[in-house]
Structure formats: C-alpha cells, structure tokens
Amino acid sequence: MVHLFGSQFPSAAGSNAPSLPLPAVVIELGELFAGAGHELSLVGGPVRDLFLGRISPDLDFTTDADPDATIAVVKKWADTFWEIGRDFGTIGLRKGQHTIEVTTYRAEAYDPDSRKPVVAFGTSLEDDLFRRDFTMNAMALRLPSLELVDPYGGVKDLQAGLLRTPGAPSSSFSDDPLRMMRAARFASQLGVTVAPEVSAAMKDMAGRIEIISAERVRDELVKLVNGKDPRTGVDLLVDTGLADFVLPEVAALRLEIDEHHRHKDVYQHSLTVLEQACSLETDDDGALPGPDFVLRFAALMHDVGKPATRRFEPSGAVSFRHHDMVGSKLTAKRMKKLRFDNDTIKAVSRLVELHMRFYGYGEAGWTDSAVRRYVNDAGPLLERLHRLTRSDVTTRNKRKAEQLAFAYDDLEQRIATLQEQEQLDAVRPDLDGARIMALLGIKPGPLVGRAYRFLLEERLENGPAASEEAEAELLAWWREQPEFVPVVDQGAPAPRGDRNQ
C-alpha cells in the first residue's frame, strides 16, 4: 500500500485529513506508462473514495495513450487483459486481485435520437475531466507523482456534500442523460445534496432519459434502491419528473394525496415503508442481511395498485379493494420493461401480492391450516414477507401499532412452532407422484397434478397424515372424479383416466 497524506492535497482537504491507502499496483502502473512516455492518472470514483476514506473495488485510469499503445504497455505486466471496450477507448485488465480499466482521454456525446454515445478521443487530462458527470468525480491523481488534479472544485463540493457538474448541467445531461439517474443514485449512496441548478436541469430534461436503454436505467435504479438513503433518491426522481418515465407507478402515488384526509398520504407512506424495511434487513440471526433489493423494491411498490382501485364509499370512507393483486401485476409489468430477470420479477411481485395477507389475523385469529397456507404461499420469501409486513405499519396511533406488532409476534411464534412440528417450510403432500399413479392406475399427465393438488390441500388443511389415511382420502376423491370408472370384473375396461392422457 502507498499512503497519501492530507498535506499532499489542496488546503480544501484540511490539515487533519487522514492517511489514505492506495494499492501498490496504482504506482506500478503509473511507472510503466511513464517509462513508455505516456501520461496516466487515477481518475473518478477511486479518487473520490479516497477522500471518503474507502477503497473502490475497481480502479479506473485515464491516459493519453490510445488503446494499441495501452495494450503494448500492459500486456506483459497484467495477468490478463481484454478489449471489450476498445471502441470506447477502454482496455480492461486484471492484476492480482485488482480489476483495472484504462481509458484514453476522451469526450463523448449522445446523438439526440441514439442510445449509444459517440466517442471522440481527447488530448489532455483537464479536458477529459471536464466531460465527467460531477465535480466530485472530475478529480485525478497524476501517476506516479500522486499530484492531485482538481480543476472544478471536486474536493470542496465533496466536503460540502454538494453535487455539481463541471460545466453546465444541461450540457452534461444532454451528453449522457443517464447522469440524471446517477445524481439521484449519489443522493442515496453518498448522502449529498443536488445543487439547485442541477435539480432544475433534471426537471427540464427528464424526458431525455427515454433515449437510454432499459438495462442502464435498471442498473442505476438498483444502486439507488440499495443505497444508504433510498428514500432521498426516490424522492428526487419523483420531484424532478424522472420517475414519470422510469417509475410512473410510484410517481402516480402522489396523486393519491387526499385533501380531505380520508386516508393517509400513500406516497409518503410508501417512502416510510421503504425506510423501515431497510432498517429491518439485518437482525441478530442474520437471516436477511442488507442491502436486499427484493425487499426494498417490494416495499416501495407495495401500494402502487391503490390509484387504480381507490373508491369513495357512501359512508365517506375510502377503499382500495384488491390493490395488492393490481399492484402485483403493475410491478411485474414495470420490472419487465426495465429488463429485470424473471426470478427477481417473480419475487418482488409476489411480495406485493402477499403484503396484505396478514391483516385480520389480530382480530379473528387463524386456524393452523391458515398459518400453513401463509407459509406455503410465501415459500422462500417468508423472511422478506415478515419484514415487509412489519414495515407496512406506519400509523401514528401507538396503541394500534403495538397491537399489530403483538399480533405479528404471535403469528411468527405459531409459524415457528408448526415448523418444528411439521417442517412447514417444505410442505408436501403425504403421497408422491409415483404412489399416486400406482394407486389410481394412471399415467403421467394433468390428472396426476389434480390428485397432487388435492392431497396438498388436505395436508395444508389438516396437517400430516399417515400413508394409509392419505391413500384412503385419495381413493375417496378419485371415486368422485369424472374419469373414474368402477371395475366390474376382470374384463372391464381400465379407468378412463388411463386412456385420457
């Protein structure tokens, strides 16, 4: 490790700045490029993170060398290198445990109708820094001298917790509209405040986010939601109008503010649920360490079905019947548009669908079969469902909040007791598919599935049964099915179920 001391930085860093460690490969690479007659600087996030007292997992460098010259310098030094980003001036490589990217000085801009950047290589470090997204990322360390280059006041802005652009925000966002999403992400991750002129440009140019690919938008959204303060990041998306294009279902929740106060502010409630879900991620048993995107995004989206289901009842009350089911479908639809993988879509939308299932337990209580169904329906999402349901309590009525917490404590205790008795988290029918087919004399097909579901319902309703009892129940069910034909004698035809596959 190489240590950088506060005295090496401009006075803005402060005389008491801590020593900042750098991996030795940074200096080694700088010396290699210098020996070959080229400039090299550590740039962007890794430099910013030095001032935040942390080391970036990836190391980004910029150089005056073109990609061919970069390969010539690193090919014998690196463990491996790749040229996937060559068209953008970037050569990737690995040295020991470090992943490194070296990019030729450049300027890039988006064609108004294109999702892909048009790249032009630059000639100076200062010009390269000017094209970067924010001043706190427009800092560099020249190598191997470790000279800080900060032409746009990144250190000062970082200390002030202010997010600004090196040039006019409108120019920066025109070049790469994804930077507007990144501003909201940094507000979540770093706790910075977006400068007024940056926020104004985001509002004016929000619609330009539509030229960015869904995958890039999705990746920024995930980082935002997984940040330290996702509430602030989401709020910025909504306030600037970006959410109208990225998460319109969340933006629509603001329209549900009821001036007559007949129901709570659904938008602020959703942000509070998100905040509370974050606080419940890591508990003593470590069952759900954070950040957990599935839980957090389900918390944010859990009430998006309310705008479409709001009804004013004759009594003056407001209802949102089936908003859980509607919200689940809206969530899945939005996530598909953002190109999330199927497993994540299913998990989040299922949690949204189930988030109301608990309510009513405290008043009426549940039978053991109802508890089994709750666990069976949640499946591997049970731990997340526990936390989502608890997070959904935002009432200011202390007594009501305590009652709900007590009821859910009771439900979790009953689940634990039943799991000990029955291994509830792996509920299966008392007979498997092979035994069902042998007993009924049928072949694989839809009829086996129907029989299996019948036995599963019996298992959930009544708990485990002995094999003989389960077989008797199955045979009784079978005699009531339209496919069943009694066998009169040895020459009688086989049950229709055998011929109907």
mmCIF file of all heavy atoms in Angstrom, residues 444-485:
data_model
loop_
_atom_site.group_PDB
_atom_site.id
_atom_site.type_symbol
_atom_site.label_atom_id
_atom_site.label_comp_id
_atom_site.label_asym_id
_atom_site.label_seq_id
_atom_site.Cartn_x
_atom_site.Cartn_y
_atom_site.Cartn_z
ATOM 1 N N PRO A 444 -48.527 -40.561 -16.230
ATOM 2 C CA PRO A 444 -48.210 -39.147 -16.034
ATOM 3 C C PRO A 444 -49.077 -38.257 -16.909
ATOM 4 O O PRO A 444 -49.350 -38.575 -18.065
ATOM 5 C CB PRO A 444 -46.734 -39.060 -16.445
ATOM 6 C CG PRO A 444 -46.196 -40.430 -16.228
ATOM 7 C CD PRO A 444 -47.321 -41.363 -16.566
ATOM 8 N N GLY A 445 -49.523 -37.152 -16.329
ATOM 9 C CA GLY A 445 -50.380 -36.226 -17.053
ATOM 10 C C GLY A 445 -51.107 -35.285 -16.111
ATOM 11 O O GLY A 445 -50.871 -35.288 -14.894
ATOM 12 N N PRO A 446 -52.027 -34.480 -16.650
ATOM 13 C CA PRO A 446 -52.748 -33.492 -15.841
ATOM 14 C C PRO A 446 -53.508 -34.091 -14.670
ATOM 15 O O PRO A 446 -53.658 -33.451 -13.627
ATOM 16 C CB PRO A 446 -53.714 -32.841 -16.847
ATOM 17 C CG PRO A 446 -53.088 -33.073 -18.180
ATOM 18 C CD PRO A 446 -52.389 -34.394 -18.082
ATOM 19 N N LEU A 447 -53.977 -35.314 -14.830
ATOM 20 C CA LEU A 447 -54.753 -35.943 -13.760
ATOM 21 C C LEU A 447 -53.902 -36.168 -12.513
ATOM 22 O O LEU A 447 -54.385 -36.021 -11.384
ATOM 23 C CB LEU A 447 -55.335 -37.274 -14.262
ATOM 24 C CG LEU A 447 -56.388 -37.946 -13.369
ATOM 25 C CD1 LEU A 447 -57.526 -36.996 -13.049
ATOM 26 C CD2 LEU A 447 -56.927 -39.196 -14.066
ATOM 27 N N VAL A 448 -52.640 -36.474 -12.716
ATOM 28 C CA VAL A 448 -51.737 -36.636 -11.574
ATOM 29 C C VAL A 448 -51.585 -35.316 -10.831
ATOM 30 O O VAL A 448 -51.586 -35.271 -9.597
ATOM 31 C CB VAL A 448 -50.347 -37.141 -12.034
ATOM 32 C CG1 VAL A 448 -49.406 -37.279 -10.837
ATOM 33 C CG2 VAL A 448 -50.478 -38.468 -12.762
ATOM 34 N N GLY A 449 -51.485 -34.216 -11.583
ATOM 35 C CA GLY A 449 -51.387 -32.899 -10.969
ATOM 36 C C GLY A 449 -52.608 -32.557 -10.145
ATOM 37 O O GLY A 449 -52.495 -31.988 -9.049
ATOM 38 N N ARG A 450 -53.793 -32.899 -10.642
ATOM 39 C CA ARG A 450 -55.026 -32.645 -9.881
ATOM 40 C C ARG A 450 -55.039 -33.427 -8.582
ATOM 41 O O ARG A 450 -55.409 -32.907 -7.527
ATOM 42 C CB ARG A 450 -56.236 -33.011 -10.734
ATOM 43 C CG ARG A 450 -56.639 -31.909 -11.709
ATOM 44 C CD ARG A 450 -57.681 -32.371 -12.686
ATOM 45 N NE ARG A 450 -58.765 -33.119 -12.058
ATOM 46 C CZ ARG A 450 -59.589 -33.929 -12.741
ATOM 47 N NH1 ARG A 450 -59.423 -34.108 -14.046
ATOM 48 N NH2 ARG A 450 -60.554 -34.559 -12.118
ATOM 49 N N ALA A 451 -54.633 -34.678 -8.654
ATOM 50 C CA ALA A 451 -54.596 -35.503 -7.447
ATOM 51 C C ALA A 451 -53.567 -34.960 -6.458
ATOM 52 O O ALA A 451 -53.802 -34.927 -5.240
ATOM 53 C CB ALA A 451 -54.266 -36.952 -7.823
ATOM 54 N N TYR A 452 -52.439 -34.539 -6.986
ATOM 55 C CA TYR A 452 -51.377 -33.982 -6.137
ATOM 56 C C TYR A 452 -51.877 -32.734 -5.416
ATOM 57 O O TYR A 452 -51.649 -32.561 -4.213
ATOM 58 C CB TYR A 452 -50.169 -33.650 -7.022
ATOM 59 C CG TYR A 452 -48.930 -33.218 -6.271
ATOM 60 C CD1 TYR A 452 -47.959 -34.141 -5.899
ATOM 61 C CD2 TYR A 452 -48.716 -31.870 -5.955
ATOM 62 C CE1 TYR A 452 -46.814 -33.752 -5.228
ATOM 63 C CE2 TYR A 452 -47.573 -31.468 -5.277
ATOM 64 C CZ TYR A 452 -46.626 -32.414 -4.919
ATOM 65 O OH TYR A 452 -45.514 -32.020 -4.252
ATOM 66 N N ARG A 453 -52.575 -31.851 -6.154
ATOM 67 C CA ARG A 453 -53.094 -30.621 -5.535
ATOM 68 C C ARG A 453 -54.157 -30.929 -4.481
ATOM 69 O O ARG A 453 -54.251 -30.243 -3.460
ATOM 70 C CB ARG A 453 -53.650 -29.693 -6.614
ATOM 71 C CG ARG A 453 -52.553 -29.040 -7.459
ATOM 72 C CD ARG A 453 -53.120 -27.947 -8.340
ATOM 73 N NE ARG A 453 -54.010 -28.461 -9.375
ATOM 74 C CZ ARG A 453 -53.607 -28.918 -10.561
ATOM 75 N NH1 ARG A 453 -52.305 -28.940 -10.848
ATOM 76 N NH2 ARG A 453 -54.466 -29.341 -11.452
ATOM 77 N N PHE A 454 -54.962 -31.953 -4.722
ATOM 78 C CA PHE A 454 -55.948 -32.351 -3.721
ATOM 79 C C PHE A 454 -55.261 -32.769 -2.426
ATOM 80 O O PHE A 454 -55.639 -32.333 -1.327
ATOM 81 C CB PHE A 454 -56.811 -33.499 -4.244
ATOM 82 C CG PHE A 454 -57.552 -34.227 -3.163
ATOM 83 C CD1 PHE A 454 -58.678 -33.654 -2.560
ATOM 84 C CD2 PHE A 454 -57.112 -35.473 -2.705
ATOM 85 C CE1 PHE A 454 -59.345 -34.317 -1.532
ATOM 86 C CE2 PHE A 454 -57.785 -36.135 -1.684
ATOM 87 C CZ PHE A 454 -58.904 -35.555 -1.103
ATOM 88 N N LEU A 455 -54.237 -33.596 -2.546
ATOM 89 C CA LEU A 455 -53.527 -34.048 -1.356
ATOM 90 C C LEU A 455 -52.802 -32.897 -0.655
ATOM 91 O O LEU A 455 -52.707 -32.875 0.578
ATOM 92 C CB LEU A 455 -52.523 -35.143 -1.731
ATOM 93 C CG LEU A 455 -53.129 -36.503 -2.116
ATOM 94 C CD1 LEU A 455 -52.049 -37.433 -2.614
ATOM 95 C CD2 LEU A 455 -53.882 -37.125 -0.931
ATOM 96 N N LEU A 456 -52.298 -31.945 -1.430
ATOM 97 C CA LEU A 456 -51.640 -30.790 -0.828
ATOM 98 C C LEU A 456 -52.641 -29.966 -0.029
ATOM 99 O O LEU A 456 -52.342 -29.507 1.090
ATOM 100 C CB LEU A 456 -50.984 -29.927 -1.914
ATOM 101 C CG LEU A 456 -50.264 -28.667 -1.415
ATOM 102 C CD1 LEU A 456 -49.141 -29.039 -0.444
ATOM 103 C CD2 LEU A 456 -49.702 -27.868 -2.594
ATOM 104 N N GLU A 457 -53.846 -29.775 -0.585
ATOM 105 C CA GLU A 457 -54.883 -29.046 0.146
ATOM 106 C C GLU A 457 -55.239 -29.764 1.450
ATOM 107 O O GLU A 457 -55.420 -29.130 2.494
ATOM 108 C CB GLU A 457 -56.137 -28.906 -0.730
ATOM 109 C CG GLU A 457 -56.014 -27.899 -1.856
ATOM 110 C CD GLU A 457 -55.881 -26.483 -1.331
ATOM 111 O OE1 GLU A 457 -56.623 -26.118 -0.397
ATOM 112 O OE2 GLU A 457 -55.012 -25.746 -1.842
ATOM 113 N N GLU A 458 -55.334 -31.078 1.390
ATOM 114 C CA GLU A 458 -55.620 -31.853 2.596
ATOM 115 C C GLU A 458 -54.499 -31.699 3.624
ATOM 116 O O GLU A 458 -54.746 -31.560 4.825
ATOM 117 C CB GLU A 458 -55.782 -33.338 2.226
ATOM 118 C CG GLU A 458 -57.053 -33.652 1.478
ATOM 119 C CD GLU A 458 -58.289 -33.399 2.336
ATOM 120 O OE1 GLU A 458 -58.353 -33.936 3.460
ATOM 121 O OE2 GLU A 458 -59.175 -32.642 1.879
ATOM 122 N N ARG A 459 -53.267 -31.673 3.123
ATOM 123 C CA ARG A 459 -52.108 -31.532 4.013
ATOM 124 C C ARG A 459 -52.101 -30.164 4.690
ATOM 125 O O ARG A 459 -51.844 -30.047 5.894
ATOM 126 C CB ARG A 459 -50.838 -31.724 3.176
ATOM 127 C CG ARG A 459 -49.539 -31.424 3.904
ATOM 128 C CD ARG A 459 -49.221 -32.516 4.923
ATOM 129 N NE ARG A 459 -47.867 -32.371 5.418
ATOM 130 C CZ ARG A 459 -47.473 -31.477 6.322
ATOM 131 N NH1 ARG A 459 -48.361 -30.652 6.842
ATOM 132 N NH2 ARG A 459 -46.221 -31.429 6.717
ATOM 133 N N LEU A 460 -52.401 -29.123 3.920
ATOM 134 C CA LEU A 460 -52.438 -27.772 4.476
ATOM 135 C C LEU A 460 -53.591 -27.592 5.456
ATOM 136 O O LEU A 460 -53.467 -26.920 6.477
ATOM 137 C CB LEU A 460 -52.546 -26.744 3.342
ATOM 138 C CG LEU A 460 -51.319 -26.596 2.442
ATOM 139 C CD1 LEU A 460 -51.647 -25.729 1.235
ATOM 140 C CD2 LEU A 460 -50.151 -26.001 3.213
ATOM 141 N N GLU A 461 -54.711 -28.217 5.138
ATOM 142 C CA GLU A 461 -55.907 -28.040 5.968
ATOM 143 C C GLU A 461 -55.816 -28.818 7.270
ATOM 144 O O GLU A 461 -56.192 -28.315 8.339
ATOM 145 C CB GLU A 461 -57.146 -28.482 5.189
ATOM 146 C CG GLU A 461 -58.462 -28.207 5.899
ATOM 147 C CD GLU A 461 -58.762 -26.719 6.033
ATOM 148 O OE1 GLU A 461 -58.313 -25.936 5.176
ATOM 149 O OE2 GLU A 461 -59.443 -26.345 7.016
ATOM 150 N N ASN A 462 -55.308 -30.034 7.193
ATOM 151 C CA ASN A 462 -55.401 -30.923 8.350
ATOM 152 C C ASN A 462 -54.067 -31.348 8.944
ATOM 153 O O ASN A 462 -54.041 -32.048 9.951
ATOM 154 C CB ASN A 462 -56.196 -32.181 7.963
ATOM 155 C CG ASN A 462 -57.583 -31.846 7.463
ATOM 156 O OD1 ASN A 462 -58.318 -31.098 8.112
ATOM 157 N ND2 ASN A 462 -57.943 -32.371 6.296
ATOM 158 N N GLY A 463 -52.969 -30.928 8.321
ATOM 159 C CA GLY A 463 -51.672 -31.346 8.818
ATOM 160 C C GLY A 463 -51.285 -32.706 8.257
ATOM 161 O O GLY A 463 -51.981 -33.279 7.414
ATOM 162 N N PRO A 464 -50.170 -33.273 8.689
ATOM 163 C CA PRO A 464 -49.675 -34.536 8.136
ATOM 164 C C PRO A 464 -50.576 -35.710 8.497
ATOM 165 O O PRO A 464 -51.233 -35.717 9.532
ATOM 166 C CB PRO A 464 -48.284 -34.672 8.764
ATOM 167 C CG PRO A 464 -48.364 -33.866 10.030
ATOM 168 C CD PRO A 464 -49.280 -32.717 9.730
ATOM 169 N N ALA A 465 -50.614 -36.692 7.582
ATOM 170 C CA ALA A 465 -51.420 -37.892 7.804
ATOM 171 C C ALA A 465 -50.574 -39.126 7.537
ATOM 172 O O ALA A 465 -49.598 -39.069 6.778
ATOM 173 C CB ALA A 465 -52.644 -37.881 6.888
ATOM 174 N N ALA A 466 -50.955 -40.222 8.121
ATOM 175 C CA ALA A 466 -50.281 -41.490 7.855
ATOM 176 C C ALA A 466 -50.546 -41.907 6.413
ATOM 177 O O ALA A 466 -51.541 -41.510 5.810
ATOM 178 C CB ALA A 466 -50.785 -42.566 8.809
ATOM 179 N N SER A 467 -49.670 -42.723 5.855
ATOM 180 C CA SER A 467 -49.803 -43.123 4.449
ATOM 181 C C SER A 467 -51.141 -43.803 4.185
ATOM 182 O O SER A 467 -51.796 -43.537 3.165
ATOM 183 C CB SER A 467 -48.656 -44.070 4.066
ATOM 184 O OG SER A 467 -47.419 -43.404 4.138
ATOM 185 N N GLU A 468 -51.574 -44.700 5.108
ATOM 186 C CA GLU A 468 -52.834 -45.413 4.898
ATOM 187 C C GLU A 468 -54.005 -44.435 4.859
ATOM 188 O O GLU A 468 -54.928 -44.578 4.026
ATOM 189 C CB GLU A 468 -53.059 -46.440 6.015
ATOM 190 C CG GLU A 468 -52.028 -47.561 6.073
ATOM 191 C CD GLU A 468 -50.711 -47.131 6.725
ATOM 192 O OE1 GLU A 468 -50.627 -45.971 7.215
ATOM 193 O OE2 GLU A 468 -49.765 -47.936 6.731
ATOM 194 N N GLU A 469 -53.989 -43.447 5.742
ATOM 195 C CA GLU A 469 -55.059 -42.459 5.780
ATOM 196 C C GLU A 469 -55.061 -41.611 4.503
ATOM 197 O O GLU A 469 -56.117 -41.337 3.924
ATOM 198 C CB GLU A 469 -54.892 -41.555 7.005
ATOM 199 C CG GLU A 469 -56.004 -40.543 7.182
ATOM 200 C CD GLU A 469 -55.789 -39.644 8.391
ATOM 201 O OE1 GLU A 469 -54.842 -39.925 9.167
ATOM 202 O OE2 GLU A 469 -56.559 -38.675 8.550
ATOM 203 N N ALA A 470 -53.875 -41.208 4.055
ATOM 204 C CA ALA A 470 -53.775 -40.403 2.839
ATOM 205 C C ALA A 470 -54.253 -41.193 1.624
ATOM 206 O O ALA A 470 -54.929 -40.654 0.738
ATOM 207 C CB ALA A 470 -52.330 -39.934 2.635
ATOM 208 N N GLU A 471 -53.912 -42.499 1.586
ATOM 209 C CA GLU A 471 -54.362 -43.330 0.466
ATOM 210 C C GLU A 471 -55.887 -43.455 0.454
ATOM 211 O O GLU A 471 -56.513 -43.413 -0.617
ATOM 212 C CB GLU A 471 -53.707 -44.705 0.548
ATOM 213 C CG GLU A 471 -52.210 -44.673 0.264
ATOM 214 C CD GLU A 471 -51.548 -46.020 0.463
ATOM 215 O OE1 GLU A 471 -52.256 -46.971 0.880
ATOM 216 O OE2 GLU A 471 -50.324 -46.136 0.208
ATOM 217 N N ALA A 472 -56.481 -43.607 1.616
ATOM 218 C CA ALA A 472 -57.936 -43.713 1.694
ATOM 219 C C ALA A 472 -58.598 -42.415 1.223
ATOM 220 O O ALA A 472 -59.606 -42.433 0.502
ATOM 221 C CB ALA A 472 -58.358 -44.045 3.126
ATOM 222 N N GLU A 473 -58.031 -41.277 1.629
ATOM 223 C CA GLU A 473 -58.571 -39.984 1.197
ATOM 224 C C GLU A 473 -58.461 -39.826 -0.311
ATOM 225 O O GLU A 473 -59.383 -39.325 -0.970
ATOM 226 C CB GLU A 473 -57.821 -38.850 1.899
ATOM 227 C CG GLU A 473 -58.107 -38.740 3.388
ATOM 228 C CD GLU A 473 -57.222 -37.694 4.064
ATOM 229 O OE1 GLU A 473 -56.238 -37.256 3.425
ATOM 230 O OE2 GLU A 473 -57.502 -37.333 5.217
ATOM 231 N N LEU A 474 -57.326 -40.237 -0.869
ATOM 232 C CA LEU A 474 -57.133 -40.123 -2.314
ATOM 233 C C LEU A 474 -58.123 -41.003 -3.069
ATOM 234 O O LEU A 474 -58.712 -40.576 -4.075
ATOM 235 C CB LEU A 474 -55.695 -40.499 -2.672
ATOM 236 C CG LEU A 474 -55.349 -40.442 -4.171
ATOM 237 C CD1 LEU A 474 -55.492 -39.011 -4.698
ATOM 238 C CD2 LEU A 474 -53.937 -40.960 -4.421
ATOM 239 N N LEU A 475 -58.317 -42.231 -2.608
ATOM 240 C CA LEU A 475 -59.249 -43.138 -3.290
ATOM 241 C C LEU A 475 -60.682 -42.609 -3.212
ATOM 242 O O LEU A 475 -61.451 -42.725 -4.172
ATOM 243 C CB LEU A 475 -59.142 -44.542 -2.693
ATOM 244 C CG LEU A 475 -57.841 -45.298 -3.015
ATOM 245 C CD1 LEU A 475 -57.761 -46.588 -2.203
ATOM 246 C CD2 LEU A 475 -57.751 -45.591 -4.516
ATOM 247 N N ALA A 476 -61.044 -42.021 -2.074
ATOM 248 C CA ALA A 476 -62.385 -41.443 -1.945
ATOM 249 C C ALA A 476 -62.557 -40.279 -2.920
ATOM 250 O O ALA A 476 -63.617 -40.134 -3.550
ATOM 251 C CB ALA A 476 -62.600 -40.980 -0.503
ATOM 252 N N TRP A 477 -61.518 -39.455 -3.039
ATOM 253 C CA TRP A 477 -61.553 -38.345 -4.002
ATOM 254 C C TRP A 477 -61.665 -38.876 -5.426
ATOM 255 O O TRP A 477 -62.430 -38.351 -6.238
ATOM 256 C CB TRP A 477 -60.274 -37.517 -3.842
ATOM 257 C CG TRP A 477 -60.069 -36.484 -4.913
ATOM 258 C CD1 TRP A 477 -60.579 -35.232 -4.955
ATOM 259 C CD2 TRP A 477 -59.275 -36.634 -6.117
ATOM 260 N NE1 TRP A 477 -60.174 -34.575 -6.086
ATOM 261 C CE2 TRP A 477 -59.363 -35.420 -6.818
ATOM 262 C CE3 TRP A 477 -58.508 -37.673 -6.643
ATOM 263 C CZ2 TRP A 477 -58.717 -35.214 -8.044
ATOM 264 C CZ3 TRP A 477 -57.863 -37.486 -7.860
ATOM 265 C CH2 TRP A 477 -57.968 -36.262 -8.536
ATOM 266 N N TRP A 478 -60.912 -39.918 -5.716
ATOM 267 C CA TRP A 478 -60.866 -40.491 -7.064
ATOM 268 C C TRP A 478 -62.230 -41.014 -7.500
ATOM 269 O O TRP A 478 -62.638 -40.852 -8.658
ATOM 270 C CB TRP A 478 -59.816 -41.605 -7.088
ATOM 271 C CG TRP A 478 -59.696 -42.403 -8.362
ATOM 272 C CD1 TRP A 478 -59.744 -43.750 -8.475
ATOM 273 C CD2 TRP A 478 -59.459 -41.903 -9.677
ATOM 274 N NE1 TRP A 478 -59.571 -44.148 -9.769
ATOM 275 C CE2 TRP A 478 -59.395 -43.017 -10.537
ATOM 276 C CE3 TRP A 478 -59.324 -40.635 -10.210
ATOM 277 C CZ2 TRP A 478 -59.199 -42.905 -11.913
ATOM 278 C CZ3 TRP A 478 -59.117 -40.501 -11.581
ATOM 279 C CH2 TRP A 478 -59.054 -41.629 -12.419
ATOM 280 N N ARG A 479 -62.977 -41.614 -6.552
ATOM 281 C CA ARG A 479 -64.285 -42.166 -6.897
ATOM 282 C C ARG A 479 -65.279 -41.074 -7.293
ATOM 283 O O ARG A 479 -66.306 -41.370 -7.907
ATOM 284 C CB ARG A 479 -64.831 -42.987 -5.721
ATOM 285 C CG ARG A 479 -64.122 -44.332 -5.552
ATOM 286 C CD ARG A 479 -64.847 -45.227 -4.567
ATOM 287 N NE ARG A 479 -64.725 -44.755 -3.202
ATOM 288 C CZ ARG A 479 -63.745 -45.089 -2.373
ATOM 289 N NH1 ARG A 479 -62.789 -45.916 -2.782
ATOM 290 N NH2 ARG A 479 -63.715 -44.627 -1.141
ATOM 291 N N GLU A 480 -64.964 -39.815 -6.939
ATOM 292 C CA GLU A 480 -65.870 -38.715 -7.266
ATOM 293 C C GLU A 480 -65.474 -37.971 -8.550
ATOM 294 O O GLU A 480 -66.146 -37.029 -8.965
ATOM 295 C CB GLU A 480 -65.907 -37.714 -6.106
ATOM 296 C CG GLU A 480 -66.453 -38.296 -4.815
ATOM 297 C CD GLU A 480 -66.368 -37.307 -3.658
ATOM 298 O OE1 GLU A 480 -65.844 -36.192 -3.880
ATOM 299 O OE2 GLU A 480 -66.823 -37.672 -2.559
ATOM 300 N N GLN A 481 -64.377 -38.416 -9.170
ATOM 301 C CA GLN A 481 -63.903 -37.738 -10.371
ATOM 302 C C GLN A 481 -64.576 -38.296 -11.619
ATOM 303 O O GLN A 481 -64.917 -39.486 -11.692
ATOM 304 C CB GLN A 481 -62.380 -37.880 -10.493
ATOM 305 C CG GLN A 481 -61.617 -37.359 -9.294
ATOM 306 C CD GLN A 481 -62.052 -35.953 -8.913
ATOM 307 O OE1 GLN A 481 -61.959 -35.037 -9.737
ATOM 308 N NE2 GLN A 481 -62.510 -35.790 -7.685
ATOM 309 N N PRO A 482 -64.794 -37.445 -12.645
ATOM 310 C CA PRO A 482 -65.466 -37.917 -13.872
ATOM 311 C C PRO A 482 -64.670 -38.980 -14.617
ATOM 312 O O PRO A 482 -65.257 -39.763 -15.378
ATOM 313 C CB PRO A 482 -65.597 -36.635 -14.712
ATOM 314 C CG PRO A 482 -64.582 -35.689 -14.162
ATOM 315 C CD PRO A 482 -64.484 -36.008 -12.698
ATOM 316 N N GLU A 483 -63.354 -39.026 -14.403
ATOM 317 C CA GLU A 483 -62.538 -40.025 -15.103
ATOM 318 C C GLU A 483 -62.668 -41.421 -14.493
ATOM 319 O O GLU A 483 -62.252 -42.412 -15.098
ATOM 320 C CB GLU A 483 -61.054 -39.617 -15.081
ATOM 321 C CG GLU A 483 -60.730 -38.377 -15.883
ATOM 322 C CD GLU A 483 -60.927 -37.105 -15.079
ATOM 323 O OE1 GLU A 483 -61.429 -37.190 -13.936
ATOM 324 O OE2 GLU A 483 -60.577 -36.026 -15.607
ATOM 325 N N PHE A 484 -63.221 -41.500 -13.287
ATOM 326 C CA PHE A 484 -63.270 -42.787 -12.592
ATOM 327 C C PHE A 484 -64.358 -43.677 -13.184
ATOM 328 O O PHE A 484 -65.496 -43.255 -13.388
ATOM 329 C CB PHE A 484 -63.540 -42.577 -11.109
ATOM 330 C CG PHE A 484 -63.759 -43.865 -10.349
ATOM 331 C CD1 PHE A 484 -62.690 -44.700 -10.060
ATOM 332 C CD2 PHE A 484 -65.035 -44.244 -9.954
ATOM 333 C CE1 PHE A 484 -62.889 -45.882 -9.365
ATOM 334 C CE2 PHE A 484 -65.242 -45.435 -9.264
ATOM 335 C CZ PHE A 484 -64.158 -46.248 -8.959
ATOM 336 N N VAL A 485 -63.990 -44.924 -13.462
ATOM 337 C CA VAL A 485 -64.951 -45.934 -13.907
ATOM 338 C C VAL A 485 -64.753 -47.163 -13.034
ATOM 339 O O VAL A 485 -63.634 -47.707 -12.978
ATOM 340 C CB VAL A 485 -64.734 -46.315 -15.389
ATOM 341 C CG1 VAL A 485 -65.654 -47.474 -15.776
ATOM 342 C CG2 VAL A 485 -64.966 -45.124 -16.285
#
